[in-house]
Amino acid sequence: MSALMQTYARLPVTFSHGEGVYLYDTQGRRYLDGISGIAVNGLGHAHPAVVAAIRSQADKLIHSSNLYRIEAQEALGSALTKVAGMDNCFFGNSGAEANEAAIKLARLYGHERGIKKPAIVVLEGAFHGRTLATLSATGNRKIQAGFEPLVSGFVRAPRNDIEALRQIAANNPDVVAFLAEPVQGESGVQMLDPEYLQAAREICSNEDWLMMLDEVQTGNGRTGTYFAYQGLDFIPDVVTTAKGLGNGVPIGACLARGAAAQVFGAGHHGSTFGGNPLACATGLAVLNTIEQDGLCANASAMGQLITDILREECADAKNVAAIRGKGLMLGVELRRDCGELVQRAMDAGFLINVAGGNTVRLLPPLVISEPEARELAIGVAELIRNFD
Ligand SMILES: *Cc1c(COP(=O)(O)O)cnc(C)c1O
C-alpha cells in the first residue's frame, strides 16, 4: 500500500532533473516539457537566475515571519504591483490561497457597505482551487461532489453572456464582486471574449462590484502580456496570481487597487509562510527575468508559431473541433475524449496535458526557442492526426 493518499492518478514516470524546456526521467529519457508543471515553470527548468536567487537567499535567510518587515517581500510587492498597475498586494503560498484572500476581501468590502450576505458572481466552467471556498467558486460539479455543504455566497453565470450578468445585477442586490479567469485553463482553454470582459468591467463599475480576475494560470507572461488583462483595454480591481510567479517555489499573491486596496487592515488576513524571504526573492528573480529577457513577447511569438503549425498540420484532421488560445496557453479541442494522448505523447518524448476531457492543453515554458516550439507543435500535431 502506498504511503501517499491516492488523490492523483499518477503517470508511471519520475523525473530526476531538467534543463530549459527539457525534463529527464530516472531512466535517462528526455522529454520536451509542453506543460511546465501546469504553467509553473515559465522559465523552464534549472534557470540560472532562479537557481542563483534561491541559493543566495537560502544562504542568508529562508523564513523570518510576517510579524516583522521582510525586505524581499517589499521588493517583490513593489515590482509586482508596478507591473500590474495595482496599488498593493498580499502574499500566500498557492493559487487557492490567493483566491481565498480575494474572496475574503470582497466579503469585507460588502460588509463595509452594509451588505450582510455578500455574494460573488462566478462562471460556469471556472476553476479557482480546491479549498472549500475556492471549490465552491469553481464551476465543476464533478470535483465538488462529496464535499457538500459548499460555501454559500456564490452566484453562477454562463460565460460570455453579458445579458445574464445584467440580469444578475438587476435582481441581486447582495452581489459585491465578479470573479473570473480571463482564459479558463482547467475546463479546456476556454476564452472569455474581450467584449464580455469589457462589459463586465462596466457593470462592476456601475454596480460598485469589485472586478476580480483569477490570473493564477494566465499571469506572469503566460498569455503574451504580464497579465492577460493587459492585452485588453481596462484594469480590474483585484488580481490573483500564483503558478508562474515562483517557477516552482510556492507563492501566490492577491493584488488590489483603489477602494479594494483599502479593505484589509491589521488582523483581517494572514499566513505563516506567505511572502517569506525565499519565495519572494525567487519571485523577484522570475519577474525580473520575464521583463529583462522579453519573455512576454517571446510567449506571444512562439504561441503564434505553434498555433500556425498546428492549424496547418491539422488542417485535414477531422477529429479536431477547434484550436484556440493566447500566448503560450493553447488548446486543441478534439471531437471525443482524448486522455490517452498523454501517454502516447510521453512515448513520443513530449509532456502534454488534457483538460476538460477532450482538449489537449499546451503550456510550454516561456523561454521556448523557435526550434523547440516547432519540435513541440509538429510532434503534437502528428499525435493528434493519428488519434482518429
Ligand atoms: C491552478 C489554479 C488555481 C489553484 O491554484 P493552486 O496553487 O493549485 O491552489 C486557481 N485558479 C486557477 C485559474 C488555476 O489555474
Side-chain angles (χ1 to χ4, degrees):
M1 196 179 137
S2 167
L4 305 177
M5 290 192 187
Q6 300 298 297
T7 53
Y8 283 89
R10 295 175 195 273
L11 293 156
V13 63
T14 304
F15 299 108
S16 59
H17 63 288
E19 196 185 343
V21 301
Y22 292 102
L23 274 175
Y24 297 82
D25 72 13
T26 44
Q27 313 293 314
R29 278 203 67 196
R30 188 179 89 154
Y31 303 81
L32 203 171
D33 186 358
I35 191 70
S36 309
I38 318 183
V40 168
N41 299 101
L43 305 190
H45 302 280
H47 191 287
V50 175
V51 174
I54 293 172
R55 280 200 180 132
S56 103
Q57 188 59 49
D59 239 8
K60 287 185 289 194
L61 181 70
I62 292 176
H63 178 85
S64 50
S65 166
N66 283 309
L67 296 171
Y68 315 106
R69 291 183 62 172
I70 298 171
E71 213 174 9
Q73 189 181 124
E74 290 174 15
L76 178 59
S78 105
L80 193 59
T81 51
K82 184 163 172 241
V83 73
M86 294 279 140
D87 293 333
N88 58 19
C89 65
F90 172 87
F91 288 107
N93 311 287
S94 65
E97 283 173 82
N99 287 332
E100 285 278 346
I103 292 165
K104 284 181 68 178
L105 190 155
R107 285 185 165 195
L108 195 55
Y109 172 85
H111 281 285
E112 282 174 356
R113 280 164 174 67
I115 298 173
K116 292 199 176 62
K117 291 191 167 178
I120 300 171
V121 178
V122 287
L123 299 184
E124 284 171 6
F127 182 81
H128 296 300
R130 299 282 199 153
T131 61
L132 271 175
T134 59
L135 182 67
S136 305
T138 289
N140 180 339
R141 285 298 308 151
K142 258 202 295 209
I143 66 175
Q144 290 172 334
F147 300 106
E148 299 83 2
L150 296 176
V151 174
S152 61
F154 295 102
V155 178
R156 187 80 48 200
R159 68 174 164 251
N160 289 328
D161 187 339
I162 299 171
E163 196 41 45
L165 266 193
R166 293 211 177 98
Q167 288 295 323
I168 290 169
N171 296 314
N172 199 330
D174 287 341
V175 172
V176 295
F178 166 86
L179 171 65
E181 304 146 86
V183 180
Q184 294 181 335
E186 298 309 300
S187 61
V189 193
Q190 306 288 351
M191 319 291 294
L192 290 198
D193 302 332
E195 307 76 50
Y196 176 74
L197 285 167
Q198 184 68 48
R201 170 70 274 182
E202 278 160 29
I203 293 169
C204 287
S205 300
N206 293 339
E207 302 290 332
D208 249 345
W209 298 353
L210 297 178
M211 184 190 204
M212 311 203 296
L213 292 183
D214 177 347
E215 297 235 22
V216 168
Q217 189 163 152
T218 51
N220 307 293
R222 177 57 50 193
T223 68
T225 47
Y226 198 90
F227 287 107
Y229 63 83
Q230 292 171 317
L232 305 167
D233 215 12
F234 64 86
I235 188 155
D237 302 298
V238 174
V239 184
T240 59
T241 194
K243 290 192 165 90
L245 182 56
N247 213 64
V249 174
I251 185 168
C254 172
L255 296 83
R257 63 181 270 276
Q262 306 302 319
V263 173
F264 279 154
H268 279 138
H269 198 39
S271 167
T272 297
F273 296 130
N276 87 10
L278 185 74
C280 289
T282 312
L284 189 60
V286 170
L287 188 154
N288 286 339
T289 305
I290 291 173
E291 297 263 276
Q292 284 158 17
D293 293 358
L295 294 182
C296 293
N298 193 61
S300 184
M302 293 304 108
Q304 192 59 55
L305 176 68
I306 294 171
T307 306
D308 290 347
I309 294 173
L310 287 171
R311 285 196 200 289
E312 196 177 308
E313 299 279 320
C314 295
D316 300 323
K318 294 195 177 53
N319 58 344
V320 174
I323 298 174
R324 57 179 175 256
K326 207 172 172 197
L328 285 172
M329 184 168 181
L330 302 169
V332 183
E333 184 182 325
L334 303 190
R335 297 195 196 281
R336 65 177 169 107
D337 283 2
C338 58
E340 62 225 79
L341 273 179
V342 172
Q343 181 62 54
R344 289 198 203 173
M346 275 184 30
D347 296 341
F350 298 100
L351 302 180
I352 63 162
N353 171 255
V354 169
N358 64 351
T359 301
V360 173
R361 177 171 52 164
L362 298 178
L363 299 161
L366 312 180
V367 294
I368 197 168
S369 69
E370 192 172 322
E372 293 160 346
R374 283 186 194 284
E375 183 188 348
L376 177 66
I378 291 168
V380 169
E382 188 179 338
L383 286 160
I384 289 171
R385 281 200 314 271
N386 293 334
F387 184 76
D388 45 19

